Amino acid sequence: MSVPGRYRSGLLTPRRLAVAVAAGILATLAPVSGALAEAPTAAVSAPAAPTPERRVMNQRVFDRVWDEVRRGYYDPKLHGVDWAAARTDYRPQALAATNDADLYRVLDRMLGLLDDSHARAMSPAVTRRQDALRRRRPVLGVTLSPDREGAWRIERVREGSPADVAGVQIGWRLAAGARGWSPDLELVEGQPLSLDFTDEVGAVRAVELTPRIMDPLPPFVADASRPGVLVLRVEGFEPGLGDWMGARLAEVSPETEVVVDLRSNPGGLLREADAVLSCFLPDRSMWAVRTMRSGRAVNMRIRRGCGDLEAPAPNSLAVLIDGASRSAAELTPAALQEFGRAVVVGAKTPGAVLISQNTTLPDGGRLSLSRADFVTARGVRLEKRGVTPDIVAEITPEDRRIGRDTALEAAIAALRTERSEAGPAPSL
């Protein structure tokens, strides 16, 4: 990993310049030729200052985040980052923030020094939306993920939502909000938002969206509409997943082909990933190794958690993944792939698999931080590497427009080919 020079341990930091540039204060500089440039005649308004109460809360939140990283991050060397220098540079910016959006942008810039996709600070508004994910609430109808350029990429568009009606497409990026909205702020029912999206060819699309209250999407969906095929769509590794999957598998015959769809799945609970694996792999099988901050390695073994299913399901299995399958949605297909238990279909995952825990921050926000390293049972470190599918099948924008799921079609075709090559079961 490349750490910016001023944050490499032992190097001095030009504090004032770093703070000014990172804070956006030095947006433009007058040209200088051998002498000081003449001061501009136009008055420059001073940036707004936070209230005393805001400044105190900013300080409490920043200090909690900084200290949690120092004391609890899985790598005690912090990937070579000079964390004291980071505090010197970013703390004044955090204290000067006048709202949550500015504060959490500063926190995420600092956490970005770790080059770790799980190291993220979520504002109180984002935290509340996350906690209300399965409740009725105002929505735009898009699933967003931050990219490396600081924008937000549209990963999913909910059918019938305000975004869907307005024509927002997967792959667009949220560039700016004309009324100052960002994902760090609240959504209010009926309050229109003027947003600028950048589409797949770089054109700016000005779209007005009005949040509308909608019912929550179910976390797990079973689709048996195709003869001889059961598709299990998993939105996240949430409580009850293992029990739900066990009940669905118990309802079908051993000849039914099963597809587990983990596309755009952000991950979730490690115990539910273990429960899903117990639906298909033998009890007590070692499927990964996690290494704690102390350096102690722990073998991760499968424990029964697939509902009332007493033995692994015998069904042929395919798993769908894509570039938005993260964390537990990468660990699970990787283990099934290594055991030779499933054919993995789709697009390569991003490699965001470190084992993280959440910490509640003083203002109600949340810090996600990696607490353990992870390798597969065969010693493969998936972080930054991701899971490579056995069969590459990516959905094009045209496929999405006409409602065709080429990846699912490829998964079903692979299972049927596998069954035909295996031949009929022997008669006893």
Side-chain angles (χ1 to χ4, degrees), residues 150-235:
W152 294 83
R153 183 181 184 277
I154 307 297
E155 292 192 343
R156 297 182 68 190
V157 178
R158 180 174 176 179
E159 185 176 355
S161 68
D164 181 39
V165 172
V168 175
Q169 300 293 315
I170 294 171
W172 288 11
R173 282 170 168 76
L174 178 60
R179 302 188 188 180
W181 187 83
S182 78
D184 296 302
L185 303 176
E186 299 281 3
L187 290 173
V188 179
E189 180 190 9
Q191 180 175 302
L193 300 172
S194 296
L195 304 177
D196 291 335
F197 293 95
T198 304
D199 67 17
E200 62 275 5
V201 298
V204 176
R205 304 277 193 129
V207 180
E208 184 169 287
L209 298 178
T210 301
R212 177 163 57 86
I213 291 181
M214 297 185 73
D215 289 328
L217 292 170
F220 327 123
V221 177
D223 177 5
S225 61
R226 299 166 184 84
V229 179
L230 175 65
V231 179
L232 302 176
R233 168 70 191 166
V234 180
E235 298 286 341

Side-chain angles (χ1 to χ4, degrees), residues 1 39 58-59 67 80 122 157 167 189 236 274 299 311 324 329 345 351 381 394 415:
M1 186 195 85
N58 290 349
Q59 177 179 326
D67 196 50
M122 290 166 279
V157 178
E189 180 190 9
D274 186 81
N299 292 338
V345 180
R381 191 170 190 269
E394 299 193 51
L415 290 177

